[in-house]
Structures are given as C-alpha cells and as structure tokens.
Amino acid sequence: MGRGVMVGVTVGVAVAACLVAGVVVGKRVKSRRKWKRVMGVLRELEEGCETTVGRLKQVVDAMAVEMHAGLASEGGSKLKMLLTFVDNLPSGSEKGTYYALDLGGTNFRVLRVLLGGQRSSILAKDVERQPIPPHLMSGTSEDLFDFMASSVKEFVEKEGNDSESSVVKKKELGFTFSFPVRQTSVLSGILIKWTKGFAIEEMVEKEVAQYLQEALIRKGLDMRVAVLAYFSLLIYSEQVNDTVGTLALGHYHDEDTVAAVIIGTGSNACYVERTDAIIKCQGLLTTSGGMVVNMEWGNFWSSHLPRTSYDIDLDADSPNPYDMGFEKMISGMYLGDIVRRVILRMSQESDIFGPDSSRLSVPFILRTPLMAAMHEDDSPELTVVAGILREVLEISDVPLKVRKLVVKICDVVTRRAARLAAAGIVGILKKIGRDGSGGITSGRTRSDVKMRRTVVAIEGGLYTNYTMFREYLHEALTEILGEQIAQHVILKETEDGSGIGAAILAASYSSSNSVDNDTDTVQPL
Ligand code: ADP
Ligand code: MG
C-alpha cells in the first residue's frame, strides 16, 4: 500500500468519524429540543392548574355566592340547591331494626340495620345485592316493584327468630331511589324521567314511594316506607346522589355534622340550611327551622376555576357539554382521562413515548384507580408506571425520566382536584357561617373568633382510596381556613351513606313520629 493510499484511508476514516459524531450531536440536539417542548407542555399544564390560596379563596367566595343565588330563585344558579324536605337528622338514640332498599341502577340492595340506641353502636348490618333482570327495566311497574318487594320479603323473613322480629310491629324502610325525582316531601317524590336504561313510562310524573308501598302490601308485608331517600334532579347525572344518606349517617355518629360531601365517580354535597334562607320557597316551615339542601355541586361553575385546554376538550367530547363543570375537574370519573389527554398531547409534540400508540386516543382508557397507582408508585424504578404504560396504553420501554414525568402529570391533576374540592367545602362553611370569618369585621383577628366544632361527613371511592388526593385536600383545607380555624373543622369519613344512611333516616323519621320523640331536629346554626 503506498503512502498516498494510507493518507487517503486515514482522511476517509476521520471524515466518517466526524460524520458519525455529527449525527450523534445532531440527534442529541434534536432530542434536547423535543424534551424542551415536552417541558413546555408540562409548564403550561402546571400554570393552567395553579391553585394558589388566593385563587382558592376566590372559588370559596364564588361557591357561597352561587349557593345564595340557587336558593334565591329556581334556575338562579348552576347550583340547583334542591330541597330534600329532610328536617330531622338521626340523633344516635334510635333503637330497633330498620330496613333500606337502594335502587341505584342495574343493581338493588336490601339492607337491615340494627340500632342499639346509643350513638355509634350500629349493632348489625346485613346487605343483599341483586341485579335487576333486564326485562323488568322496561316492563310494567308492577313487575319491577313486585320483584323487589319479594326480595325484601325473603330478606325480612330470613331474620329468623331474633327478638326484634317477634314483636308485632310495623317495619320501617328507607328507600333510596337514584333517578331524577321532584321531591315534594320526605315521603313523596315524583319521577321526572327514567335514566340508566330503565323505561317504564307509566311511572313518569307519578309518586314513586306509592309503587313500593303497594307492592309491599301485595306481598303481605306490614312495612311502611318511611322516607324516600332520593335526592336528584339532575338529568345527566348517572350518579347515585346519596349525600343526604351520608349526612344522616354522619349526624347519627356526631351531632356536629353540618354537611356531607361525596367524591367518588361523581361528586356532590348537601348541608343543613336555615329555612328562612331558602328564599325560593317562601313560607317553608319545619319544626326545626332547618332543612337539608342537596346542592348538586357537580354542576358548580365559576370563572375562577383554573381551566386548561384539556378540560375544554374533555367537556366538548362529553355527552353533556357545559354541564357538571366542577365534577369534571374533581371527580374519579374524569381525572384519569385528563392525564391521558396530557400524555397524548406530549406524544404528539415529541416521540418521548415512542411510536404513536392508538390506545392513547381511546377516551377513558386510563381509569382513575390506575392513575392513582402510578402516582403512588414508590418503587425506585417506577415499575408500576412502566407496567401500566405498557399494559394499558401500549407504550413500552420509556426511560425513567419519562416515567417520572407521568407521575408529575398525575400529581398536578390530582392536586388541583383535591384543592378545588377543599375550596368547595369551605364555600359551604362560609355560607353557613362556619368558616371562622364572622368576627373579622369587628376588628378581631381570626384567632379570636369563637369557632364551633364543625363536622363534614365525607365518603366516596376517590377520597377513600386515593391517599394523595386525600392529603392534598386536607392540606388545602388548612391553608384556606388557617390553622386556628381548621382545628375546629373535622372531615369524618363515613361508609355506605346511601344504604345505611337511608335506613337510619327511616329510623329517625319513625321515632320522630312516635310519642317519646328524642330525635334531633336539624339545628341550622
Ligand atoms: P360511586 O361514586 O360510583 O357510587 P364509589 O364511591 O365507590 O362509587 O367511587 C368509585 C370511584 O372512586 C371510581 O369510579 C374511581 O373513580 C374512584 N376510585 C376507586 N378506587 C380508587 C383508587 N384506588 N384510586 C383512585 N380512585 C379510585
Ligand atoms: Mg356512591
């Protein structure tokens, strides 16, 4: 090989090396640029979801203002502020065996609750859950209610020989009926329309409790339907509006309970209002001077809510645009899908999630429990995140820093949800003068204000199972109220308000009708 050839080869190798290096550097620059774009999307998300205490306080005020407006006139606010006609809440002294029938959708449950007469002692509870046979959902009212009444009968008879059943006594039953009903008293509500696949036209615009009562009589059951524990007017809501049951259960355990909040698939709240503050229903009289109002707070809206393009798109793609704006930001039905939308956007801006996955475009494919599992993944390599990305979204082999990014997105979305829910709760407290702000005007500082112990009953799968959500909510509550006041506000978790709560409500209505009336009346303030 001559010298000239050697030089030529060396130069050639050097040129090739430069080219390779150039490609590598070029790739790095490109990937850095892509990462920068993704970080831009994240920053935008964080800014869009910002919930400073200042902003949360604006949401608090907006909630209180909307509550006023919804109480002032029908249609005065996006908050429907429905009257429930519940003016007696359980005191804890109720005794005896009570039943509940919970027709929530495709299933119904019969419950028996044995109350011992002393607060906190629910001695026993039995539950039997059954599917409604599909043909009964669009058959006749008689067939549907006879079917349920038979189950109740069987259930009651299974009670056997225990002491309670041998006493000849009318049994009391609370009926939770989760369809749109116009309530006219505790006992009576008129079905506005069927939802969730039911279609028994003859019942529309008729009294619902009547059908159950008649079916019970046909089955030879001496039972009184004590309360129609049904509370929703919301046509689109697929949610069981069981907040009143939750409030009843909360009040049974703790008489300082003034409100109840549910944060599960959907979200709603109710609270005890003074009847004279319910302006849209002039002359409303209750013995207690108070009444439970079902807010339907999922439909709350305010321009102070921090809204992102993902929320706008989610709303536009939903079957009920412009409806349930608050619920779409805070409840379990939606949080996972907001996260999916952010990941989708990032994957469109870059290839950090690898080649396009068609799964990412499937609405609601990322359920909120999966999102929670990723958020709470504490393995050093984030193996849970990797697993869910792979199995659910068909995104494989993403580096650790991308997995960390996914955790961050979950965090931003959940933190906003939890903090807004906290602001909603404080909004209720503000409306009823329990937020500790009452004394500020007279020159006293907040810490001087005498604050009454205030309990809010809370339940729902999102709050109960998602630890980070719960912690963010508690943290925000303290931030908004200030530590001094927050000490007096207690969130108490209840369990199964829609079932047990309805039975206990039946109990309190039963004893309030008896001579030795020791049921608590609802004390509004
Ligand atoms: P519902 O609201 O449908 O009556 P639940 O109160 O049990 O029923 O709430 C169920 C909802 O809670 C689910 O739809 C889901 O959004 C949420 N959820 C359940 N488990 C978890 C979990 N582990 N992490 C986060 N969210 C959860
Ligand atoms: Mg529920």
Side-chain angles (χ1 to χ4, degrees):
M1 213 185 279
R3 250 187 104 181
V5 177
M6 280 294 283
V7 171
V9 170
T10 314
V11 169
V13 170
V15 167
C18 280
L19 278 177
V20 169
V23 170
V24 171
V25 171
K27 259 193 176 164
R28 240 184 247 148
V29 169
K30 229 170 144 189
S31 112
R32 217 175 291 144
R33 230 183 267 142
K34 272 187 293 190
W35 186 250
K36 228 174 138 183
R37 272 212 299 275
V38 169
M39 286 299 106
V41 175
L42 177 65
R43 206 172 326 109
E44 203 181 284
L45 174 74
E46 288 182 294
E47 283 166 13
C49 289
E50 198 147 56
T51 48
T52 57
V53 178
R55 187 187 277 247
L56 291 179
K57 285 184 176 169
Q58 288 173 316
V59 175
V60 168
D61 290 344
M63 180 65 84
V65 166
E66 290 300 317
M67 290 170 76
H68 267 289
L71 290 172
S73 63
E74 212 59 70
S77 163
K78 289 199 114 184
L79 289 181
K80 290 206 169 67
M81 306 299 284
L82 305 174
L83 309 189
T84 64
F85 296 91
V86 171
D87 60 344
N88 274 311
L89 285 174
S91 65
S93 61
E94 293 77 7
K95 263 190 192 170
T97 302
Y98 296 90
Y99 295 85
L101 179 63
D102 180 10
L103 178 61
T106 45
N107 285 291
F108 79 104
R109 303 185 296 162
V110 191
L111 294 92
R112 173 175 33 235
V113 176
L114 183 53
L115 303 175
Q118 267 167 31
R119 185 157 259 144
S120 301
S121 57
I122 295 175
L123 295 179
K125 56 181 193 217
D126 305 297
V127 183
E128 193 166 282
R129 184 187 292 272
Q130 276 191 53
I132 299 276
H135 71 275
L136 292 183
M137 292 165 68
S138 52
T140 66
S141 60
E142 216 174 289
D143 288 345
L144 175 66
F145 280 85
D146 278 354
F147 175 75
M148 290 193 293
S150 297
S151 284
V152 173
K153 186 173 186 199
E154 238 173 71
F155 186 78
V156 170
E157 284 169 355
K158 258 197 280 175
E159 196 176 19
N161 297 327
D162 76 21
S163 55
E164 195 62 41
S165 61
S166 54
V167 181
V168 184
K169 188 182 149 202
K170 208 163 200 174
K171 293 179 168 57
E172 308 279 344
L173 175 114
F175 182 27
T176 305
F177 181 75
S178 302
F179 298 90
V181 163
R182 197 180 312 114
Q183 197 99 21
T184 48
S185 79
V186 164
L187 252 181
S188 48
I190 289 168
L191 176 66
I192 297 171
K193 66 173 250 177
W194 284 107
T195 55
K196 310 178 201 185
F198 282 78
I200 304 173
E201 285 316 309
E202 60 183 292
M203 284 185 64
V204 175
E205 289 299 322
K206 302 273 168 50
E207 291 267 356
V208 181
Q210 197 76 32
Y211 289 92
L212 179 60
Q213 188 76 71
E214 284 167 8
L216 292 172
I217 291 167
R218 277 198 296 275
K219 296 289 163 194
L221 270 174
D222 197 11
M223 258 182 151
R224 195 178 76 98
V225 180
V227 264
L228 180 62
Y230 159 72
F231 321 102
S232 169
L233 243 179
L234 215 72
I235 308 297
Y236 286 112
S237 172
E238 285 293 299
Q239 263 304 290
V240 176
N241 289 288
D242 38 16
T243 51
V244 182
T246 299
L247 180 58
L249 184 56
H251 199 271
Y252 176 85
H253 288 302
D254 190 327
E255 65 183 349
D256 290 332
T257 308
V258 295
V261 175
I262 290 181
I263 315 176
T265 308
S267 187
N268 191 15
C270 71
Y271 72 107
V272 180
E273 183 55 280
R274 292 192 336 264
T275 42
D276 61 5
I278 307 176
I279 297 159
K280 66 181 172 185
C281 202
Q282 290 279 345
L284 193 64
L285 276 181
T286 63
T287 46
S288 61
M291 182 183 285
V292 177
V293 172
N294 166 20
M295 294 173 64
E296 289 295 340
W297 90 349
N299 205 35
F300 169 64
W301 190 253
S302 156
S303 59
H304 296 297
L305 290 171
R307 196 176 200 216
T308 66
S309 60
Y310 309 105
D311 301 303
I312 293 168
D313 293 346
L314 183 148
D315 184 52
D317 295 345
S318 71
N320 55 340
Y322 304 110
D323 244 338
M324 308 304 279
F326 194 48
E327 181 170 280
K328 284 171 179 161
M329 291 174 117
I330 69 169
S331 80
M333 171 88 196
Y334 303 100
L335 298 191
D337 204 54
I338 299 174
V339 170
R340 177 193 66 84
R341 286 167 185 275
V342 179
I343 297 177
L344 176 62
R345 163 94 190 280
M346 287 177 172
S347 79
Q348 287 164 344
E349 297 269 328
S350 74
D351 59 2
I352 63 161
F353 289 100
D356 283 353
S357 158
S358 58
R359 291 283 195 99
L360 257 182
S361 305
V362 179
F364 297 102
I365 195 167
L366 186 65
R367 318 291 310 178
T368 301
L370 295 172
M371 165 199 180
M374 295 201 290
H375 191 187
E376 297 180 337
D377 183 0
D378 56 3
S379 66
E381 292 296 308
L382 297 177
T383 47
V384 176
V385 177
I388 291 172
L389 288 178
R390 192 177 55 241
E391 301 300 323
V392 180
L393 299 177
E394 288 177 353
I395 294 170
S396 301
D397 302 323
V398 292
L400 185 59
K401 78 169 180 182
V402 174
R403 282 176 260 156
K404 283 185 178 164
L405 174 66
V406 170
V407 175
K408 179 68 188 170
I409 299 167
C410 297
D411 187 68
V412 173
V413 172
T414 290
R415 185 168 182 271
R416 176 185 70 162
R419 290 170 72 80
L420 291 179
I425 293 171
V426 180
I428 300 174
L429 299 182
K430 186 175 181 116
K431 173 70 183 69
I432 58 177
R434 295 286 192 110
D435 67 333
S437 63
I440 294 173
T441 45
S442 56
R444 287 185 292 171
T445 62
R446 279 169 80 102
S447 55
D448 292 335
V449 175
K450 181 116 177 56
M451 176 75 190
R452 278 173 65 184
R453 185 172 174 276
T454 297
V455 178
V456 177
I458 187 162
E459 68 176 62
L462 188 73
Y463 179 84
T464 310
N465 299 313
Y466 196 164
T467 311
M468 294 293 285
F469 178 89
R470 197 167 55 239
E471 284 175 1
Y472 277 139
L473 193 157
H474 292 174
E475 183 182 73
L477 206 63
T478 306
E479 277 180 42
I480 303 169
L481 289 168
E483 281 198 17
Q484 290 277 347
I485 302 295
Q487 280 171 15
H488 303 278
V489 175
I490 297 134
L491 295 188
K492 263 203 181 176
E493 209 170 318
T494 52
E495 209 183 310
D496 196 17
S498 70
I500 298 174
I504 294 182
L505 209 50
S508 81
Y509 269 85
S510 144
S511 49
S512 67
N513 288 335
S514 68
V515 187
D516 53 340
N517 180 355
D518 54 1
T519 308
D520 275 10
T521 49
V522 174
Q523 293 304 328
L525 279 174

